[in-house]
């Protein structure tokens, strides 16, 4: 009978059958006996780590979560800025309006603002602006500082600063580039 069975079954099929007979009990043993205790052990280790961390820092877990949430919000603000997420045409109008409002706060005279061609760079919409303005040096610094706070990620790519006649006024031509985070 063994010889007859051997002739009817190919050696490759016999090898697969024997390997299956060995592997199936091992897999079943892992799934039904070992898997749940391993998950329980990992969860216990994580709980122990959190409790030890709470003892070391002296901060309750809830306070740590609040602290981390504040850090995440600050990072999102740094990435996305404080301005609204608008379509490109509305964003250009918004940026021009903000440039004008901030200029009024700091007695900066805007001579011209020309939006450039928008581009996409990785996950950012790049909005360039050619700006020409006139003011004294300290107002210029304050204007640029508030501009960075209000419009979020913004860079000055090129600038030219020159004195206007015999006055304390400075005339500046610059290329501002505003970066708007674009979510997919």
């Amino acid at each position: 009978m063994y010889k007859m069975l051997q002739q009817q079954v190919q050696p490759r099929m016999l090898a697969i059958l024997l390997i299956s007979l060995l592997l199936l009990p091992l897999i079943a043993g892992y799934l039904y006996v070992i898997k749940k205790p391993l998950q329980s052990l990992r969860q216990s280790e994580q709980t122990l780590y959190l409790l030890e961390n709470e003892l070391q820092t002296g901060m309750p877990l809830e306070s740590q979560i609040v602290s981390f949430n504040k850090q995440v919000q600050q990072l999102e603000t740094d990435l996305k800025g404080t301005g609204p997420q608008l379509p490109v045409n509305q964003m250009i109008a918004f940026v021009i309006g903000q440039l004008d409002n901030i200029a009024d706060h700091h007695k900066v005279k805007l001579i011209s603002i020309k939006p450039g061609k928008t581009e996409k760079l990785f996950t950012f919409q790049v909005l360039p602006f050619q700006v020409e303005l006139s003011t004294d040096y300290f107002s210029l610094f304050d204007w640029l500082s508030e501009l960075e706070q209000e419009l979020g990620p913004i860079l000055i790519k090129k600038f030219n600063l020159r004195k206007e006649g015999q006055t304390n006024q400075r005339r500046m031509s610059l290329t501002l580039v505003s970066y708007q985070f674009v979510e997919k």
Side-chain angles (χ1 to χ4, degrees):
M1 177 153 171
Y2 178 72
K3 287 231 183 226
M4 196 166 97
L5 185 65
Q6 190 179 12
Q7 290 173 351
Q8 290 178 348
V9 178
Q10 295 176 0
R12 187 174 5 158
M13 290 301 277
L14 188 61
I16 290 173
L17 180 66
L18 290 175
I19 291 173
S20 297
L21 287 174
L22 291 174
L23 285 179
L24 283 176
L26 288 175
I27 292 172
Y30 170 75
L31 290 175
Y32 292 113
V33 178
I34 298 174
K35 186 178 179 184
K36 281 190 179 184
L38 280 177
Q39 285 177 338
S40 181
L41 177 65
R42 286 187 200 121
Q43 188 175 9
S44 297
E45 287 174 344
Q46 186 178 17
T47 303
L48 178 63
Y49 171 76
L50 291 172
L51 290 172
E52 285 176 346
N53 189 25
E54 187 174 327
L55 284 174
Q56 288 174 354
T57 61
M59 284 179 67
L61 191 57
E62 292 82 18
S63 298
Q64 290 180 17
I65 290 171
V66 169
S67 173
F68 288 137
N69 283 337
K70 286 180 183 176
Q71 290 176 358
V72 167
Q73 288 175 348
Q74 181 60 44
L75 290 172
E76 283 182 356
T77 301
D78 291 347
L79 176 65
K80 297 180 181 178
T82 56
Q85 297 294 315
L86 300 170
V88 176
N89 290 339
Q90 292 177 6
M91 189 62 178
I92 291 171
F94 174 77
V95 170
I96 290 173
Q98 287 296 100
L99 288 172
D100 190 40
N101 288 339
I102 296 169
D104 286 344
H105 292 167
H106 298 288
K107 298 181 180 102
V108 172
K109 180 183 174 190
L110 289 176
I111 298 168
S112 71
I113 302 172
K114 296 175 189 167
K117 182 181 176 192
T118 61
E119 300 173 7
K120 187 168 182 174
L121 179 66
F122 300 110
T123 59
F124 291 96
Q125 187 74 34
V126 180
L127 306 169
F129 296 90
Q130 297 290 333
V131 180
E132 193 165 338
L133 55 95
S134 175
T135 188
D136 65 84
Y137 186 76
F138 295 107
S139 295
L140 175 64
F141 179 78
D142 294 339
W143 178 76
L144 287 171
S145 178
E146 187 175 345
L147 195 66
E148 175 67 30
Q149 290 175 348
E150 292 297 319
L151 291 178
I154 196 163
L155 293 174
I156 298 174
K157 277 204 168 180
K158 292 190 273 183
F159 72 94
N160 183 6
L161 183 65
R162 59 191 176 279
K163 192 172 184 177
E164 272 190 337
Q166 299 298 325
T167 66
N168 200 16
Q169 296 290 310
R170 303 286 187 255
R171 189 172 189 111
M172 184 174 198
S173 301
L174 65 145
T175 302
L176 290 175
V177 181
S178 175
Y179 292 88
Q180 180 184 12
F181 186 73
V182 178
E183 294 185 26
K184 294 183 180 180

